[in-house]
Amino acid sequence: MSRISTRTRLLAVTAIAAATTVTLSACGGAGNAEGDGTLRIGVVGASEDKWAVFTDKAKEEGLDIELVDLQDYTQANPSLSQGELDANQFQHLQFLAGYNVDADDDLTPIGATAVYPLGLYSEKHSSLEEIPAGGEVAVPNDPTNLARALLVLQEAGLIELKDGGSAVSTEADVLPSSKVTVTPVAAEQTPIQLKSVDASIVNNDFLKDAGLDPETALFQDDPDSDAAAPYINVWVARAEDKDDPDLKKLAEISHSDEVVAAEQEASGNTAVIKDNSPEELQEILSGLEDDIRNAS
């Protein structure tokens, strides 16, 4: 998320951006996908230590959790919508907005988790100032991450975007007056491109495997800024289940000291924990959905 993006223009936002998803079945509520009081939670990377900490903490709170490891991001939201899962937490709001608009769905955020800063890295330069005019920067090519990467580059002073840019900007919006050129590539290829380009925007998800230290980023977006609001990772449920008390406990559990500590360890201390209310999250989501419809 990092972790998350629709691969069919705005459904692809749901497939990549991302993030980290968790889906569950609540005891006596939400619909209980298994009908046995077990919460089925679809997650990305179920084997990560942080999920063991989460499930242990949930059990202390009286919730039985079954983790469903999501191999295909594109199925995570449809599976929730169809009742195969009780909730999920793999995506940020921009990703969810893209899915809802594309699928004409109304999946709903029920709690916030974190924002993961998106950073610019280089193997050739040690500062923004060293990146030359006419230099090349690789960015993720999926719609959600692409737009965010372009906004990061604009904030860094490396490009200018048409009309100031937005959460639906593409490489076509990069103005000729920009200092550098932009090359979209698959998100997982951005670290590899560091050997041939001046810099790359690399998703948090790929930093560890690429051996990149978040502290070496030449620049990253501010996770506390208004511009970062679309990239708040969220717990998501079906609209009719948004007030289910067991599902609402999920966000509370994810903010417990033990789970936050595990999340920080997993993210290399890059996660910025967010506690926006469901109402605030829904307001942000609705605005993003409007922006996507207007851009179509």
Side-chain angles (χ1 to χ4, degrees):
M1 68 197 300
S2 142
R3 347 24 342 12
I4 13 325
S5 309
T6 345
R7 276 225 183 280
T8 64
R9 174 60 181 152
L10 289 160
L11 174 56
V13 173
T14 310
I16 296 183
T20 322
T21 301
V22 183
T23 309
L24 30 89
S25 310
C27 298
N32 288 323
E34 292 299 308
D36 60 1
T38 297
L39 295 173
R40 297 190 79 235
I41 303 180
V43 304
V44 173
S47 62
E48 293 183 17
D49 291 343
K50 67 178 184 179
W51 289 120
V53 174
F54 180 88
T55 55
D56 287 346
K57 185 65 178 177
K59 184 169 284 293
E60 291 178 15
E61 298 292 328
L63 298 180
D64 289 324
I65 302 294
E66 177 189 350
L67 298 178
V68 179
D69 203 349
L70 302 169
Q71 301 299 321
D72 183 352
Y73 289 172
T74 62
Q75 292 306 307
N77 282 325
S79 293
L80 172 58
S81 185
Q82 294 161 15
E84 297 170 15
L85 302 170
D86 294 300
N88 70 43
Q89 193 271 310
F90 76 98
Q91 63 198 319
H92 49 51
L93 289 168
Q94 182 70 34
F95 186 80
L96 177 59
Y99 167 78
N100 275 349
V101 171
D102 190 84
D104 192 24
D105 210 338
D106 61 353
L107 296 183
T108 302
I110 57 173
T113 59
V115 171
Y116 303 89
L118 187 62
L120 177 70
Y121 296 84
S122 178
E123 291 185 357
K124 297 180 179 180
H125 310 294
S126 58
S127 69
L128 285 176
E129 293 71 26
E130 289 183 11
I131 297 176
E136 182 182 10
V137 177
V139 295
N141 65 1
D142 55 276
T144 297
N145 287 315
L146 173 59
R148 187 182 182 188
L150 295 176
L151 292 171
V152 170
L153 294 179
Q154 178 169 254
E155 190 177 354
L158 295 176
I159 66 170
E160 295 180 40
L161 294 170
K162 180 181 178 182
D163 298 328
S166 71
V168 292
S169 292
T170 72
E171 67 271 25
D173 295 311
V174 178
L175 298 177
S177 55
S178 297
K179 179 180 179 180
V180 301
T181 61
V182 170
T183 301
V185 299
E188 64 272 17
Q189 292 295 312
T190 54
I192 298 171
Q193 292 298 313
L194 285 169
K195 299 185 182 304
S196 57
V197 299
D198 289 282
S200 285
I201 294 284
V202 182
N203 290 49
N204 186 280
D205 298 328
F206 305 114
L207 296 182
K208 185 175 182 180
D209 287 345
L212 294 172
D213 182 347
E215 295 190 2
T216 66
L218 302 186
F219 189 84
Q220 62 182 23
D221 53 3
D222 178 0
D224 291 320
S225 69
D226 290 343
Y231 309 109
I232 298 171
N233 284 261
V234 289
W235 289 92
V236 177
R238 292 178 293 277
E240 62 267 28
D241 296 330
K242 64 183 178 66
D243 295 320
D244 181 271
D246 284 343
L247 295 184
K248 291 172 73 171
K249 277 187 182 180
L250 297 177
E252 296 173 14
I253 293 167
S254 66
H255 285 84
S256 66
D257 291 343
E258 302 95 319
V259 176
V260 168
E263 176 59 51
Q264 292 294 15
E265 182 175 354
S267 71
N269 289 317
T270 62
V272 178
I273 306 303
K274 294 294 181 180
D275 60 359
N276 305 69
S277 69
E279 293 76 20
E280 291 174 320
L281 297 171
Q282 184 59 51
E283 183 177 359
I284 297 168
L285 177 67
S286 296
L288 293 171
E289 290 172 348
D290 289 342
D291 288 345
I292 291 171
R293 293 187 187 98
N294 293 336
S296 299

